[in-house]
Amino acid sequence: MLDDARVSWRHATISWSGRSWFIEDHGSTNGTFVQGHRIHQMEIGPGSSVHLGNANDGPRLNLSSGTSTSSSSSAASASASVPQQSHQQPYAAQGASPGWAAQQAAPQQSVPQQSAPHTGPQPSAPHHTAPRQSAHQQAPQAGTVPQQQQQPAGGGTAAPPSHGDRSPTTFHRLDLGRVMRIGRALDNELVVSDLQVSRRHAEFHAMPDGRFEIRDLGSHNGTFVNGVPMAKGGSALLGPNDIVGVGHSTFRLVGDRLEEFVDTGEVSFSARHLTVTVDGGKQILKDVSFGVPEKSLVAVIGPSGSGKSTLLKALTGYRPADRGEVLYDNRNLYKQFAELRQRIGLVPQDDILHKELTVSRALKYAAKLRFPADTTASERDARIDEVLRELKLDIHKDKKVTALSGGQRKRVSVALELLTKPSLIFLDEPTSGLDPGMDRDVMQLLRGLADDGRTVLVVTHSVAELALCDKLLVMAPGGAVAYFGPPEEALNFFGYATWADVFSAFENYRDYDWAGRWKGSQHYQLYAADVDAAAPQPAPASAPQVMRPSKPQSWGSQLTTLVRRYFAVIASDKGFLALTVLLPAVIGAVSLLIDPGKDLLVRVDERTGRISPNITATTVLLILAVGACFAGAANSVRELIKERVIYERERATGLSRSAYLMSKVIVLGALTVLQGALVGVIGFSSRETTEEGLLLGDGKTAVILELSVPLMGLGFASMMVGLVISSLVKTAERTMPLLVMFTIVQVVFTGCLFILHGTPGVNELSYLMPSRWAVAAAGATLDLNRIFPNTDDPTSTDPLWDHTASAYFLDMAALLALAVVCAFLVARFLRRHEPEVMRK
């Protein structure tokens, strides 16, 4: 046991291979060093000197030759300045308190035989052999040497570690009365080279009374104190244990010294006792605990129904576990999601970019939304070019996303997440639907991301490339952990030759206690016991944040970017543009086939002098109204469902819900209004109508415009209904039946097929239908009460059809009110597609 904050709880293992000694680093935070180089696995011998946590002054283990008590073969022992104690191999160097001791290493014993619930021949028991140098591992490499932790000035005591067991990256001294400004600009006293940080982000103030204060300078991504966002432009007094978060950096005051911790990927991540219960008390995730080594690639596999997707949502905060906690660098992700969400990347199974755009253009819009408003275009472009070069996409940047292969599209989705330099990346089924060659390419990409200093966790069904991973998490049916450890030892652990046999065993023995078998194994003691030993925590919703997190861009800036992006998406889709023009033109032309040349005026019988119904007028109004309904709803009925994955991800990174909705309303509304105008002009211009307009004066042009406005409003209101449908359905395939049903219902309630006024129940229900009010507004201009009188009761007239300006305004106001109600409903329904921790 080593009492040093730079030594991880499970830091390294020294093991005997049968002919030599090996040391293996267990993904420690501050690293294991030999001759100044950070190593992952390495053969060592007598005379070797190993430093833990720091290449220069970290605790040192000196290996000297010795003799094993159990055999005459040569052995080695790790020594320090305290007496050694005998201990069963493997010897694991750990951080603890109080005191530390290095134990003598003995040759490793074989792991006890694990029982397996099948009758076939048992493979040999898993044997914990010496670590192998994997093809993807490069050792030794020169690592970054953390600065030695010093005692606070004045003999004070340092605050307890709040960043796992890391030492501060650097120190800054705060003198009394001094102001230290933090930001991205070079004129700040403390320059943070991070595009998530504003040019002038915040200030530390050393007060004359010895206290310290942090003041936000109107930052875009916000300043956080203990994970809670400060009010923009606000201030807060700091205590000795308070943590200030600015972008990827955090700061802690120790005496008059400011300690800075830069998140470069050397952070711990663990899940502790995660349990998810659905309605009815059924657990779909059962007491899942594991720790992810820093800068490693971890795969999660398991049969259908094993809770992989639920686990991913719990780990990312999209659907927090009902019980347990997720710790990012020893900080509760659920309670500090507003700050930590910027450090985590998530690549869903579906693409999170608009496929109609080119790679570079799609990334530019994403960068515009995610980076602070004071980030220049050159800074964003430089970061985009850097990511494209890293992922070897620079030669494809001018291609449309749809023109790329499946593996390349997945790389583009990864590139989007890498823009903000996350230290932890989650991927959900990135190889789904790819051929074996692309499967390997994607996994090699993820391997490279981990080697470059990121922790990558991938949920996958593919088992072909598991050897590239550092750790493997196997989920059993019912949502419990069946194995966690090196992938090369997993099959031996289960006692099967192939993964197909393992998955068949899961299916055939669903009632078997796979989790109990795992927890009773030596692998569990080696790789998960220390994380699992932590006490379970209550539900994360118990401590909601009071202040809403800041957004990288203002509402207006987000709206402008979203509108521009949406127009670009539509403009790049030539087929949609052609259909947008063709559909209203066809609808208007169809109306011309109904009694060609007949007018839309009041018809008086010359013999009797009585008014006879003008069926042509009502039929034309019916066709034009139903066409406007269909066109408006068709424009929007698929928009939200097809972008749901994009919205979910962008919402988690700070997108405004109302700005997103308003961008759809503006762009789709403009298209729909133009379609309504085209329908009206084609449908009314070739027929004789009244020359007495209610609002725009007399003349045929004024009357046609006055008749077209209700069709524009009807198309807009129907477009809003389409957004409601799109926000409700779970798949795009369900939108078409609902679109047809909506259009048919509008036909019935136009009032053109039968008289609605005076029909109890039906008339009141018609008030909820956009077509009722649009036809009524056009009918007010045409004087529909005279054109289509109630033959059963000539004295009964519909007040919504009165040939008055007030009736016209009432009808149009009701149409607008329906659109506003639909907008409110869409905003509420969109909340269901946001990370649940944000809703709480």
Side-chain angles (χ1 to χ4, degrees):
M1 296 293 184
L2 305 177
D3 187 15
D4 192 293
R6 294 167 292 181
V7 180
S8 300
W9 287 102
R10 280 187 49 79
H11 196 103
T13 296
I14 300 174
S15 59
W16 174 254
S17 68
R19 64 178 183 86
S20 60
W21 290 93
F22 279 81
I23 184 167
E24 178 185 9
D25 185 272
H26 283 307
S28 62
T29 299
N30 291 314
T32 302
F33 300 86
V34 175
Q35 296 181 351
H37 297 286
R38 184 166 184 168
I39 60 99
H40 178 70
Q41 294 175 339
M42 186 175 181
E43 182 178 354
I44 55 177
S48 298
S49 180
V50 179
H51 285 274
L52 305 180
N54 190 291
N56 298 321
D57 59 357
R60 185 177 64 185
L61 300 177
N62 294 319
L63 278 80
S64 59
S65 60
T67 303
S68 172
T69 58
S70 60
S71 68
S72 60
S73 62
S74 296
S77 61
S79 62
S81 58
V82 295
Q84 296 183 350
Q85 302 173 0
S86 62
H87 187 69
Q88 185 180 5
Q89 205 20 358
Y91 156 62
Q94 303 178 6
S97 178
W100 67 276
Q103 293 93 8
Q104 184 177 357
Q108 181 177 341
Q109 306 297 323
S110 62
V111 180
Q113 175 75 30
Q114 297 289 339
S115 60
H118 69 94
T119 58
Q122 287 279 355
S124 58
H127 188 78
H128 188 64
T129 57
R132 294 183 288 109
Q133 188 76 15
S134 302
H136 59 265
Q137 293 166 343
Q138 303 173 3
Q141 292 182 352
T144 302
V145 180
Q147 186 171 348
Q148 181 182 3
Q149 187 170 355
Q150 305 173 6
Q151 291 297 324
T157 303
S162 302
H163 297 76
D165 38 26
R166 285 189 293 139
S167 297
T169 307
T170 186
F171 305 93
H172 310 276
R173 188 175 183 85
L174 271 176
D175 299 324
L176 293 180
R178 182 184 174 189
V179 176
M180 179 179 289
R181 189 173 62 198
I182 305 172
R184 201 174 72 249
L186 297 180
D187 59 353
N188 292 287
E189 288 79 10
L190 204 165
V191 179
V192 180
S193 300
D194 181 358
L195 290 183
Q196 295 288 84
V197 178
S198 299
R199 299 186 65 83
R200 290 169 180 80
H201 197 102
E203 289 179 343
F204 282 101
H205 286 251
M207 313 295 285
D209 59 1
R211 295 184 299 171
F212 295 91
E213 184 183 55
I214 179 69
R215 298 178 185 175
D216 182 83
L217 299 179
S219 62
H220 299 281
N221 274 323
T223 304
F224 302 84
V225 177
N226 299 323
V228 179
M230 296 175 56
K232 183 168 290 192
S235 62
L237 290 174
L238 300 177
N241 294 323
D242 289 334
I243 301 298
V244 177
V246 175
H248 286 81
S249 299
T250 48
F251 301 88
R252 180 179 63 191
L253 281 167
V254 180
D256 59 352
R257 184 186 64 191
L258 183 65
E259 297 181 345
E260 179 181 3
F261 299 81
V262 180
D263 185 350
T264 59
E266 296 180 344
V267 294
S268 60
F269 183 81
S270 61
R272 297 182 178 178
H273 303 282
L274 299 183
T275 300
V276 174
T277 305
V278 296
D279 296 338
K282 180 182 178 181
Q283 288 186 345
I284 56 177
L285 208 62
K286 297 180 181 178
D287 197 28
V288 174
S289 297
F290 64 94
V292 177
E294 65 184 38
K295 299 184 178 180
S296 61
L297 174 59
V298 181
V300 180
I301 65 172
S304 299
S306 59
K308 299 187 300 297
S309 297
T310 303
L311 174 63
L312 186 64
K313 292 179 181 179
L315 294 176
T316 56
Y318 274 62
R319 199 293 187 191
D322 301 307
R323 187 170 178 269
E325 60 184 0
V326 176
L327 298 181
Y328 178 97
D329 205 15
N330 281 356
R331 302 171 67 185
N332 191 303
L333 174 65
Y334 298 156
K335 295 180 180 179
Q336 302 185 23
F337 183 80
E339 177 185 356
L340 297 180
R341 65 178 180 171
Q342 302 175 13
R343 319 257 188 111
I344 296 176
L346 173 62
V347 181
Q349 183 174 348
D350 297 325
D351 294 326
I352 51 178
L353 290 168
H354 292 87
K355 299 178 183 180
E356 300 84 1
L357 301 178
T358 63
V359 172
S360 60
R361 197 170 189 183
L363 291 178
K364 285 181 180 180
Y365 284 121
K368 177 70 174 175
L369 289 172
R370 296 194 179 194
F371 288 140
D374 60 3
T375 307
T376 63
S378 60
E379 288 176 314
R380 293 193 299 269
D381 292 342
R383 178 56 188 159
I384 291 171
D385 291 340
E386 181 183 352
V387 170
L388 290 177
R389 286 194 301 269
E390 179 181 358
L391 299 182
K392 297 179 176 58
L393 288 170
D394 48 333
I395 60 176
H396 303 294
K397 65 179 182 179
D398 294 325
K399 295 180 181 178
K400 285 188 176 183
V401 177
T402 52
L404 302 177
S405 65
Q408 290 169 342
R409 286 202 302 270
K410 192 58 62 177
R411 284 176 179 263
V412 176
S413 294
V414 173
L416 187 152
E417 292 302 310
L418 292 186
L419 290 176
T420 54
K421 296 184 177 181
S423 54
L424 181 63
I425 303 177
F426 294 91
L427 298 100
D428 186 13
E429 300 286 356
T431 61
S432 177
L434 302 183
D435 60 47
M438 290 184 179
D439 182 353
R440 179 182 57 194
D441 291 343
V442 171
M443 292 301 293
Q444 288 177 342
L445 164 68
L446 303 183
R447 177 69 259 168
L449 294 178
D451 292 339
D452 288 341
R454 306 173 184 91
T455 299
V456 183
L457 191 146
V458 52
V459 174
T460 180
H461 279 297
S462 174
V463 297
E465 305 296 335
L466 293 181
L468 292 173
C469 303
D470 298 299
K471 290 290 187 292
L472 175 65
L473 175 66
V474 182
M475 300 293 293
V481 176
Y483 173 82
F484 179 74
E488 61 269 17
E489 300 178 18
L491 285 176
N492 281 340
F493 170 82
F494 288 108
Y496 290 96
T498 66
W499 282 109
D501 295 331
V502 175
F503 279 40
S504 294
F506 283 148
E507 181 64 28
N508 296 332
Y509 302 93
R510 300 187 70 90
D511 296 331
Y512 184 77
D513 187 10
W514 296 100
R517 179 177 183 270
W518 156 243
K519 291 187 176 181
S521 68
Q522 186 174 0
H523 285 77
Y524 171 80
Q525 297 298 326
L526 286 173
Y527 304 117
D530 53 345
V531 176
D532 205 25
Q537 299 296 315
S542 58
Q545 295 179 347
V546 177
M547 192 72 63
R548 289 188 176 184
S550 300
K551 294 179 175 60
Q553 302 278 334
S554 66
W555 188 89
S557 178
Q558 286 192 0
L559 176 62
T560 302
T561 302
L562 291 168
V563 169
R564 291 178 57 194
R565 182 177 70 178
Y566 197 22
F567 269 125
V569 169
I570 292 177
S572 63
D573 191 345
K574 308 303 182 187
F576 178 80
L577 284 178
L579 186 61
T580 300
V581 176
L582 186 61
L583 181 59
V586 170
I587 294 172
V590 167
S591 70
L592 299 179
L593 301 178
I594 302 170
D595 295 335
K598 293 293 184 66
D599 58 50
L600 306 181
L601 300 173
V602 177
R603 293 181 179 176
V604 181
D605 192 318
E606 295 180 355
R607 290 188 303 109
T608 64
R610 293 181 180 178
I611 297 176
S612 60
N614 186 343
I615 304 300
T616 300
T618 55
T619 305
V620 168
L621 275 181
L622 175 65
I623 295 299
L624 296 180
V626 172
C629 276
F630 181 81
N635 286 340
S636 62
V637 76
R638 297 172 64 94
E639 282 305 309
L640 299 184
I641 182 62
K642 76 178 184 181
E643 289 188 0
R644 182 161 298 173
V645 177
I646 298 176
Y647 173 74
E648 288 177 352
R649 185 65 195 125
E650 290 184 341
R651 178 63 176 149
T653 59
L655 179 68
S656 167
R657 184 195 313 128
S658 58
Y660 176 78
L661 175 57
M662 187 56 65
S663 70
K664 298 295 182 185
V665 172
I666 290 174
V667 177
L668 291 176
L671 289 175
T672 303
V673 166
L674 290 176
Q675 286 179 322
L678 185 59
V679 168
V681 169
I682 296 176
F684 292 119
S685 60
S686 62
R687 299 181 185 273
E688 185 179 356
T689 62
T690 179
E691 296 185 357
E692 299 178 3
L694 296 175
L695 303 175
L696 302 179
D698 298 337
K700 186 170 184 177
T701 301
V703 171
I704 291 177
L705 179 58
E706 193 172 300
L707 290 172
S708 299
V709 169
L711 296 180
M712 299 179 197
L714 176 58
F716 183 82
S718 299
M719 181 270 295
M720 296 303 301
V721 174
L723 289 178
V724 173
I725 295 174
S726 190
S727 65
L728 282 174
V729 296
K730 294 183 179 180
T731 61
E733 290 74 16
R734 297 183 180 181
T735 58
M736 289 300 104
L738 293 175
L739 172 62
V740 173
M741 182 179 68
F742 167 73
T743 306
I744 292 176
V745 170
Q746 299 310 303
V747 172
V748 175
F749 289 98
T750 55
C752 296
L753 297 180
F754 58 91
I755 299 297
L756 293 174
H757 177 66
T759 307
V762 177
N763 186 44
E764 287 72 20
L765 182 61
S766 71
Y767 294 159
L768 301 177
M769 308 300 166
S771 62
R772 171 74 159 109
W773 300 100
V775 170
T781 298
L782 291 174
D783 197 3
L784 206 57
N785 274 324
R786 298 183 62 202
I787 291 178
F788 189 57
N790 187 343
T791 55
D792 294 334
D793 184 4
T795 62
S796 176
T797 59
D798 191 334
L800 302 183
W801 292 359
D802 287 346
H803 189 57
T804 62
S806 59
Y808 187 93
F809 276 122
L810 173 64
D811 297 334
M812 293 302 300
L815 198 58
L816 180 61
L818 287 177
V820 171
V821 171
C822 289
F824 174 79
L825 293 176
V826 175
R828 298 297 298 177
F829 294 148
L830 279 175
R831 292 185 72 250
R832 303 185 308 165
H833 309 299
E834 300 170 3
E836 188 172 327
V837 70
M838 295 181 68
R839 286 181 266 158
K840 293 183 177 181

